[in-house]
Amino acid sequence: NPGFEAAPSATGLPGGGWWKSEGRGRLVVETDRTVAHAGSASVKLHADEPTKAVLVSQRFAVSPGDHLPFAVWVRSAAPAAGSSAYAGLAFRDAEGKVIGRAYFSSQPLTGEWARISGSAIAPAEAGSAEVHLGYTNAPAAIWYDDVLVTITNELSFALLQGPKSWPGRQDLQVRVINRQTKPFRGTLNCVIDKQVHPVPVLLEPGTTRELAVPISVTGLGAHSFALALLEPTGRVLGEQRGKFRTANA
């Protein structure tokens, strides 16, 4: 619901999975059908006392290294001289912990619509992202509208399930996404303690596949691994590295 056109949820928050995170004070959130940058609605944030909070979107899947341009439109009623707003993205790992933020500030607010924009790269271990629309401007009201986030890289891959903590034969689970308009043919290479385990990859245009990468772990103790997505020419399109330990069952 990036334009806030959908009906509000039962709690009064914008439909589509939006929720609020309050660090201080009480943020009031409303879908406003009298103010809009485009379409017929926007979201209005306001508070009666000093407040620090963000309106948070539903999470969406990302892969480490994904390129994400971001933009949103903002305006304020009776802004204080020099006041601004901020918005952007937060990234979470597989357990749901926030591991990084990319926030962007507006120009000084004038009462007219202004665009906040920037670009972020999903950090290592990122599994999902969410939009954050910030508020620190009590008692003034702020409206946001027309949120836009895209993933612009044509190929993504993510390690969904890494090495286990025991030696022997096991599988890594990897997700590969092809956003191209042509098929992708390449190789997933997993190197465990200098042993190479290659798996061919074939994806039709605009498809996603989850692949099992068979590996063999020898011995107990500390190990390292490197997982790389390669073109047929051998050019590396993306890489993830990590360490793990094995022990007796």
Side-chain angles (χ1 to χ4, degrees), residues 102-249:
Y103 284 171
F104 312 102
S105 297
S106 70
Q107 297 296 320
L109 298 172
T110 64
E112 301 297 326
W113 285 105
R115 190 172 185 261
I116 299 175
S117 64
S119 184
I121 296 178
E125 300 182 3
S128 64
E130 61 199 24
V131 172
H132 284 192
L133 305 178
Y135 183 87
T136 56
N137 294 45
I142 288 181
W143 288 264
Y144 286 102
D145 201 2
D146 297 332
V147 181
L148 176 65
V149 184
T150 54
I151 299 175
T152 57
N153 42 297
E154 294 182 328
L155 293 153
S156 300
F157 86 100
L159 180 63
L160 303 180
Q161 192 174 90
K164 308 295 192 302
S165 59
W166 57 81
R169 168 69 169 78
Q170 50 184 278
D171 288 340
L172 307 183
Q173 298 297 323
V174 180
R175 181 183 64 225
V176 186
I177 302 171
N178 180 18
R179 301 185 185 90
Q180 301 178 109
T181 57
K182 60 183 180 182
F184 172 74
R185 290 175 174 83
T187 305
L188 265 175
N189 261 6
C190 184
V191 181
I192 300 277
D193 299 331
K194 300 182 179 180
Q195 297 183 28
V196 182
H197 305 271
V199 171
V201 179
L202 172 60
L203 278 85
E204 295 302 316
T207 59
T208 299
R209 285 188 63 190
E210 292 188 8
L211 303 171
V213 180
I215 62 172
S216 181
V217 181
T218 304
L220 306 178
H223 304 271
S224 61
F225 73 90
L227 186 65
L229 182 63
L230 309 176
E231 287 186 333
T233 61
R235 185 168 75 96
V236 177
L237 299 173
E239 188 175 32
Q240 295 183 44
R241 295 177 177 269
K243 296 181 178 180
F244 67 103
R245 296 186 66 87
T246 54
N248 287 319

Side-chain angles (χ1 to χ4, degrees), residues 11-101:
T11 62
L13 293 171
W18 291 90
W19 58 282
K20 60 182 178 178
S21 175
E22 296 167 319
R24 180 183 64 195
R26 179 178 177 272
L27 179 66
V28 180
V29 181
E30 304 173 69
T31 298
D32 191 337
R33 300 198 178 277
T34 66
V35 175
H37 172 259
S40 61
S42 64
V43 65
K44 179 183 178 182
L45 311 184
H46 59 102
D48 295 327
E49 58 186 18
T51 295
K52 182 177 181 181
V54 291
L55 181 65
V56 185
S57 76
Q58 190 175 39
R59 298 180 198 176
F60 55 94
V62 298
S63 301
D66 278 351
H67 294 249
L68 295 99
F70 169 86
V72 66
W73 289 87
V74 62
R75 65 171 289 185
S76 179
S83 65
S84 62
Y86 70 94
L89 300 166
F91 298 95
R92 295 181 183 267
D93 63 14
E95 282 71 46
K97 179 182 177 182
V98 173
I99 58 173
R101 293 180 175 87

